[in-house]
Structures are given as C-alpha cells and as structure tokens.
C-alpha cells in the first residue's frame, strides 16, 4: 500500500484523539483520522500534559501496520509533513527538532505522540498537535510554546491545514511502505533544527552534552561529546545550549 485514503472522524471534544483512535482500532477500523476541536486530557511524551484548548489542531492518524518495529519513522514523517504544511501556509521557518517536535523561532509549535496497539492486528497511532490559532498559552509554557497566530498575526482554517498535513503525510508514507527509511531520514535532516547545534540530552541513563552531528538510519541522534567520542541517543529530551 503506498497511499492511504483516510476516513475522517471529527469530534468537538475528546479526552484525547489518541485514545479515541485506540478505541476505533478495537473495532477494527483503521486508516482514519480522528480530530477534535479540544481535548480534555491531551497528552505528550512521558505522560506530559498537552495544552489542548480551542484554536489548536488535534488529530490522530490510525494506521494498520503488520510490523511495529519501525514506527519511529512515522514520527519523523509527521514532523516533516507539519513543517512543510506550515511553510505552505506562511513565510515562517518551521524546523523539526529531534525526535518529535516542530519549532518556529526556537519555540514549540507542534508535538507528535506515536503509540502502538498490538493484538491480532497491529496499529500505529500518530497523534499530532499543532498550535494554530491560540492567542496565548498557560503561564508555565509561554516561554517554550508558540502558535501560527502568535508568529504571524493571522488566523488559519484548521480543516485546510489538517488536509494538507494528511496530503504531505501520504506523499512520504510511500517511502515508509517501501522501507526506504534512508530517504525519510534524508528528508527529515533537510528540515532539521537539531543538527549542528550544541545540545544537552537528558536520557534515562543520564545527561550528555555534545554537538548533534548526525541522525542515524534508525532515527537515533548522534552526539560528539567533548572528549571527541560519539554517543548514540536513542530516547530522551534535548535542548540547545
Ligand atoms: C509531545 O510533544 O510530547 C507530543 C504531544 C502530542 C499531542 C497530540 S495532540 C493530538 C494527540 N492526542 C493527544 O492526546 N496527544 C497527541
């Protein structure tokens, strides 16, 4: 399968679009997009809260996948799809931050939460949150979050943005299905905010400081530490220092 015709399930309020997509997977529905105008319990990586008031774009793509070993590439595809969409609608320079964010002017405009459902059939849930028409954010995230409205002083049509993200996702998904992972990594790198920067990586096995020199074929971030050694970062949070 190279291209998916997604069916849309649109809601006003959901707990989380990822949870709704998980429910639909239980009913063996798939290749669909769940959207909500707001989420009551929108969440991010490591169980963090995702601010989900009106004006933001909240959606989850539910994909049927035989093999769930490579879903990290879906996160990369989603990030690039959002960055390309932002560039189509605005003059803003949207960049992907390893592993699952999109930034504008060093602030977060989009987060991606990819989860899986296993059983008789396997599914990937690609949850995408984009800050679009919010004029402000809760105090605790004003320094790190931004929206298209804050950056450009304009409002945007959420449906149009959603459709272009899906279109962009579809055009990259063919590489995923064709196992052309190197192609996905190559495209991601072209949009990268991370590479070339000195960063701190906070991981379960400790903090590491170094220059982000590469992303390998498995989506891992490669740091050159101060002593010149290369360190592979598989999972964690990074910040530019
Ligand atoms: C992160 O930055 O850690 C990921 C944030 C992902 C947020 C999106 S919004 C749509 C979908 N539903 C959720 O509950 N989370 C994702």
């Amino acid at each position: 399968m190279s291209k998916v015709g997604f069916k849309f399930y649109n809601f006003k309020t959901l707990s989380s679009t990822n949870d709704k997509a998980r429910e639909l997977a239980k009913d063996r529905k798939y290749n669909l997009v769940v959207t909500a105008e707001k989420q009551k319990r929108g969440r991010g990586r490591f169980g963090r809260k995702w601010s989900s008031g009106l004006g933001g774009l909240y959606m989850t793509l539910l994909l049927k996948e035989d093999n769930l070993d490579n879903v990290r590439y879906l996160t990369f595809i989603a990030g690039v799809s959002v960055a390309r969409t932002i560039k189509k609608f605005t003059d803003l320079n949207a960049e992907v931050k390893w592993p699952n964010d999109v930034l504008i002017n060093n602030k977060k405009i989009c987060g991606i939460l990819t989860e899986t459902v296993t059983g008789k059939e396997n599914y990937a849930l690609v949850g995408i949150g984009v800050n679009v028409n919010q004029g402000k954010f809760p105090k605790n995230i004003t320094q790190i979050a931004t929206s298209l409205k804050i950056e450009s002083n304009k409002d945007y049509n959420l449906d149009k943005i959603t459709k272009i993200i899906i279109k962009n996702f579809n055009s990259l998904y063919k590489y995923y299905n064709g196992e052309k992972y190197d192609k996905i990594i190559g495209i991601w790198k072209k949009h990268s905010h991370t590479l070339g920067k000195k960063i701190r990586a906070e991981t379960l096995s400790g903090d590491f400081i170094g220059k982000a020199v590469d992303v390998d074929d498995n989506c891992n971030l490669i740091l050159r530490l101060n002593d010149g050694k290369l360190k592979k970062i598989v999972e964690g949070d990074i910040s530019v220092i």
Side-chain angles (χ1 to χ4, degrees), residues 57 59 81-82 85 130 161-169:
L57 188 159
M59 70 166 159
S81 303
V82 170
T85 303
V130 189
I161 294 188
T162 303
K163 292 208 171 99
I164 300 297
I165 293 173
I166 301 292
K167 187 171 170 249
N168 287 337
F169 187 94

Side-chain angles (χ1 to χ4, degrees), residues 16-18 39 42-45 50 59 100 108 111-112 128-129:
S16 153
T17 54
N18 271 35
Q39 301 184 114
R43 57 175 200 280
R45 287 193 313 147
W50 181 257
M59 70 166 159
N100 70 321
K108 185 155 165 170
I112 294 148
I128 304 174

Side-chain angles (χ1 to χ4, degrees), residues 1-4 63 65 67 70-78 80-81 84 166-191 217 219:
M1 194 199 329
S2 62
K3 200 173 167 217
V4 175
L63 300 159
E65 302 291 350
N67 178 351
N70 298 315
V71 295
R72 297 182 90 193
Y73 299 103
L74 294 176
T75 306
F76 271 33
I77 288 177
V80 171
S81 303
R84 284 181 168 173
I166 301 292
K167 187 171 170 249
N168 287 337
F169 187 94
N170 245 331
S171 78
L172 296 168
Y173 191 50
K174 64 175 185 277
Y175 299 125
Y176 183 82
N177 285 317
E179 298 181 14
K180 297 205 163 47
Y181 303 128
D182 54 335
K183 184 90 185 162
I184 296 169
I185 300 284
I187 294 171
W188 186 93
K189 282 182 187 174
K190 285 197 185 128
H191 295 268
D217 287 350
C219 302

